[in-house]
């Protein structure tokens, strides 16, 4: 075994002797990763559904023509545009309610719809076309969506390429089903238009508006608050899990002070020791992240039906009941777990790296290293308070509000240990007996051990009170 391997094996022997501490570290990081990655999986699935919904009929790539302020058009405006040479296709859309079920019904004219628009190629053969445009009309949608329709009431054809909750039908059927006789919601403008067209302002007395393609689905804008809440609570869970990890790592550093002293005394360089500690943490973090990602997938899969029901009930947004996960989700989860572990262990690694040989054996020297870290922590708390003041003065909007609350919460949490140290220093000056001085000195030496638990408790209580209010 090489020298570095021997050092690493020596450090890992600590966890073999204390399996419950190892379990606390692994479960803390796995739980933090699971909750964060599970929430991100739910949000990603919902936003993917919004993008798919926006892409139906080319809503994300084709311009459209509407009335003023995006109001509906009449058939006469459509006819005038067609006579003027404009290549446009009418669309009627709306929520179609049958009994207790609700779907998004899109009425199209298959003869004029651009061929590349999602939905244009769903009709199939000539016989399918005849069935689509003539009574009793054929409806096209996902099999799961078509199951919501009354059994046997309509002629249907399943198409897995369409997003959930969307049904495409002939425009004649849609105007009857939605009560839109003579009204058109929008006109899709083909990319290829003939030369010499009259200006849009010269048609219908300039009462027509040309709208650009939707860069973002309207549902995504409508549900931003919902997803921001999920993200905020997922991140809060991740932070609380990191407190557990930080506390466990800090305890391990405290218990391994004699081991660190011995390794340094026999000639182990500070960079070698720090690298070995970092490698140990990365191995543990990778294993914990793998467990957390699996748990996150299970959590997201279990919560997806309830989230989908909430989005459908509150906003009319359709989210599929099955979870589709991509490689970027896995990479992001592992990245968060590794970054969180490094943040949780940073102060301990810094103290070990900066202390001189044999100083680790002295409690006062270890406290001195903690004291320097507490100064940095107090500085970060002050910066966060300044950021919160700036957001309160100049910020606006939902994200700024959440950022303001997060800055205040984190500043209070980070300021707690320095405040405790200041209180103990003040009490030390007033101590008049040896027992009192011993008590204060002992309390001060335990700051590193108890402050993390108090910080986590403060954060949890503050958020619970805020949510309850």
């Amino acid at each position: 075994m090489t020298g570095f391997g021997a050092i690493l094996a020596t450090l890992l022997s600590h966890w073999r002797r204390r399996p419950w501490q190892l379990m606390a570290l692994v479960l803390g990081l796995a739980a933090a990763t699971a909750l964060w990655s599970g929430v991100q999986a739910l949000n990603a699935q919902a936003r993917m559904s919004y993008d798919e919904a926006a892409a139906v009929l080319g809503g994300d790539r084709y311009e459209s023509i509407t009335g003023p302020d995006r109001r509906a058009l009449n058939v006469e405006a459509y006819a005038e545009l067609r006579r003027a040479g404009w290549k446009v296709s009418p669309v009627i859309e709306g929520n179609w309610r049958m009994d207790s079920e609700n779907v998004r019904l899109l009425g199209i004219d298959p003869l004029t719809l651009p061929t590349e628009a999602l939905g244009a190629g769903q009709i199939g053969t000539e016989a399918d076309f005849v069935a689509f445009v003539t009574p009793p009309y054929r409806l096209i949608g996902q099999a799961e969506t078509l199951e919501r329709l009354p059994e046997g009431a309509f002629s249907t054809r399943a198409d897995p390429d369409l997003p959930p909750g969307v049904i495409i039908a002939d425009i004649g059927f849609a105007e009857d089903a939605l009560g839109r006789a003579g009204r058109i919601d929008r006109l899709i403008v083909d990319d290829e238009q003939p030369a010499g067209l009259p200006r849009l302002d010269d048609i219908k007395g300039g009462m027509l508006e040309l709208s650009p393609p939707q860069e973002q689905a309207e549902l995504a804008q409508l549900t931003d608050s919902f997803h921001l809440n999920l993200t905020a609570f997922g991140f809060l869970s991740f932070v609380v899990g990191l407190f557990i990890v930080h506390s466990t790592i800090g305890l391990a550093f405290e218990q391994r002070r004699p081991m660190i002293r011995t390794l340094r005394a026999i000639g182990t360089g500070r960079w070698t020791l720090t690298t070995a500690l970092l490698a140990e943490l990365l191995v543990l973090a990778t294993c914990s992240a793998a467990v957390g990602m699996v748990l996150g997938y299970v959590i997201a899969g279990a919560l997806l039906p309830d989230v989908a029901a909430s989005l459908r009930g509150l906003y009319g947004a359709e989210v599929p009941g099955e979870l589709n996960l991509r490689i970027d989700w896995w990479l992001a989860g592992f990245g968060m777990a590794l970054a969180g572990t490094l943040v949780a262990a940073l102060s301990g690694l810094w103290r070990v790296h900066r202390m001189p040989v044999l100083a680790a054996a002295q409690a006062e020297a270890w406290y001195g290293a903690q004291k320097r870290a507490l100064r940095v922590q107090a500085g970060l708390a002050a910066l966060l308070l300044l950021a919160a003041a700036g957001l309160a003065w100049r910020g606006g909007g939902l994200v700024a509000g959440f950022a303001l609350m997060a800055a205040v919460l984190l500043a209070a949490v980070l300021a707690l240990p320095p405040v405790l140290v200041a209180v103990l220093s003040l009490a030390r000056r007033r101590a008049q007996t040896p027992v009192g001085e011993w008590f204060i000195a002992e309390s001060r030496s335990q700051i590193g051990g108890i402050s993390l638990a108090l910080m986590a408790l403060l954060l949890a209580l503050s958020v619970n009170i805020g949510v309850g209010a």
Side-chain angles (χ1 to χ4, degrees), residues 407-453:
V408 172
L409 281 173
L410 291 177
V413 167
L414 289 173
L416 179 60
V419 169
L420 287 176
V421 170
V423 171
L424 288 173
S425 298
L426 182 62
R428 185 180 184 182
R429 296 193 191 99
R430 296 177 177 273
Q432 298 180 359
T433 64
V435 174
E437 289 189 5
W438 169 82
F439 174 78
I440 293 170
E442 186 68 19
S443 299
R444 192 180 65 174
S445 67
Q446 298 299 318
I447 286 290
I450 66 171
S451 62
L452 264 297

Side-chain angles (χ1 to χ4, degrees), residues 311-397:
L311 289 170
R312 185 184 305 121
L314 291 172
Y315 307 105
E318 291 289 343
V319 177
E322 295 182 358
L323 199 61
N324 299 319
L325 298 179
R326 298 176 295 184
I327 187 65
D328 55 349
W329 177 78
W330 290 94
L331 293 177
F334 273 96
M336 283 292 291
L338 295 176
T341 303
L342 291 177
V343 170
L346 189 60
S347 62
L349 289 172
W350 180 255
R351 292 200 304 269
V352 170
H353 183 76
R354 295 292 295 173
M355 278 191 304
V357 180
L358 301 182
Q362 305 165 11
E364 194 64 25
W366 190 257
Y367 169 72
Q370 288 181 341
K371 195 173 180 180
R372 288 188 291 271
L374 289 176
R375 291 196 193 100
V376 175
Q377 199 167 310
L380 289 175
L383 289 176
L384 284 170
L385 285 177
L386 288 174
L391 287 169
W393 178 256
R394 305 292 294 178

Side-chain angles (χ1 to χ4, degrees), residues 149-156:
L149 303 178
E151 187 174 357
F154 302 99
S155 170
T156 60

Side-chain angles (χ1 to χ4, degrees), residues 87-108:
K87 294 172 69 174
V88 292
S89 181
V91 176
I92 295 177
E93 60 182 314
N95 289 327
W96 183 32
R97 189 171 184 82
M98 298 154 298
D99 299 329
S100 60
E101 297 295 337
N102 204 28
V103 297
R104 180 187 175 201
L105 180 62
L106 293 173
I108 64 170

Side-chain angles (χ1 to χ4, degrees), residues 17-380:
R17 294 193 304 271
R18 293 174 174 82
W20 292 108
Q21 197 176 110
L22 176 62
M23 185 178 295
L25 175 62
V26 172
L27 290 181
L29 187 56
T33 305
L35 292 170
W36 169 258
S37 60
V39 166
Q40 293 310 303
L42 292 172
N43 285 343
Q45 184 69 49
R47 291 193 172 100
M48 189 187 305
S49 300
Y50 305 153
D51 292 339
E52 290 176 352
V56 176
L57 305 185
D60 60 344
R61 84 169 263 199
Y62 291 106
E63 295 179 322
S64 60
I65 295 175
T66 62
D69 299 324
R70 298 205 171 191
R71 291 199 297 266
L73 301 163
N74 53 35
V75 175
E76 290 75 14
Y78 168 59
E80 189 171 340
L81 282 166
R82 294 292 296 184
R83 285 194 297 267
W86 280 77
K87 294 172 69 174
V88 292
S89 181
V91 176
I92 295 177
E93 60 182 314
N95 289 327
W96 183 32
R97 189 171 184 82
M98 298 154 298
D99 299 329
S100 60
E101 297 295 337
N102 204 28
V103 297
R104 180 187 175 201
L105 180 62
L106 293 173
I108 64 170
D109 176 11
L111 295 174
T112 59
L113 193 66
T115 55
E116 282 115 19
L118 178 61
Q122 320 297 46
I123 296 173
T125 65
E126 182 177 346
D128 292 328
F129 175 81
V130 173
F132 185 81
V133 299
T134 57
Y137 302 105
R138 174 169 290 176
L139 310 183
I140 303 175
Q142 271 194 8
E144 181 182 344
T145 306
L146 296 175
E147 289 175 0
R148 302 184 195 177
L149 303 178
E151 187 174 357
F154 302 99
S155 170
T156 60
R157 186 169 73 82
D159 192 316
D161 293 333
L162 290 176
V166 172
I167 289 180
I168 292 180
D170 181 71
I171 194 168
F173 174 86
E175 69 174 1
D176 290 337
L178 299 174
R180 304 278 183 81
R183 309 296 294 172
I184 297 171
D185 287 299
R186 71 177 193 272
L187 299 170
I188 297 175
V189 181
D190 200 318
D191 286 338
E192 299 179 1
Q193 297 289 336
L197 286 176
R199 295 172 61 248
L200 198 61
D201 293 340
D202 298 333
I203 301 175
K204 287 296 283 186
M207 296 299 291
L208 301 178
E209 287 186 0
L210 184 65
S211 301
Q214 296 178 354
E215 295 181 358
Q216 182 183 11
E218 293 180 2
L219 281 174
Q221 297 174 345
L222 187 64
T223 57
D224 268 351
S225 176
F226 183 88
H227 293 299
L228 187 57
N229 272 283
L230 283 181
T231 301
F233 281 104
F235 185 71
L236 176 65
S237 302
F238 184 77
V239 170
V240 172
L242 287 188
F243 276 117
I244 299 174
V245 175
H246 191 146
S247 183
T248 306
I249 293 174
L251 178 61
F253 282 157
E254 291 276 351
Q255 291 175 339
R256 287 192 289 190
R257 277 189 291 167
M259 181 189 296
I260 293 171
R261 174 194 62 195
T262 303
L263 288 173
R264 291 298 309 278
I266 63 177
T268 303
R270 65 173 63 188
W271 280 107
T272 303
L273 182 58
T274 304
T275 304
L277 286 168
L278 184 60
E280 172 200 51
L281 290 173
L282 290 179
V283 169
L284 294 175
T286 302
C287 297
S288 303
V291 175
M293 294 302 291
V294 174
L295 290 175
Y297 180 84
V298 173
I299 291 172
L303 293 179
L304 185 59
D306 292 332
V307 172
S310 298
L311 289 170
R312 185 184 305 121
L314 291 172
Y315 307 105
E318 291 289 343
V319 177
E322 295 182 358
L323 199 61
N324 299 319
L325 298 179
R326 298 176 295 184
I327 187 65
D328 55 349
W329 177 78
W330 290 94
L331 293 177
F334 273 96
M336 283 292 291
L338 295 176
T341 303
L342 291 177
V343 170
L346 189 60
S347 62
L349 289 172
W350 180 255
R351 292 200 304 269
V352 170
H353 183 76
R354 295 292 295 173
M355 278 191 304
V357 180
L358 301 182
Q362 305 165 11
E364 194 64 25
W366 190 257
Y367 169 72
Q370 288 181 341
K371 195 173 180 180
R372 288 188 291 271
L374 289 176
R375 291 196 193 100
V376 175
Q377 199 167 310
L380 289 175

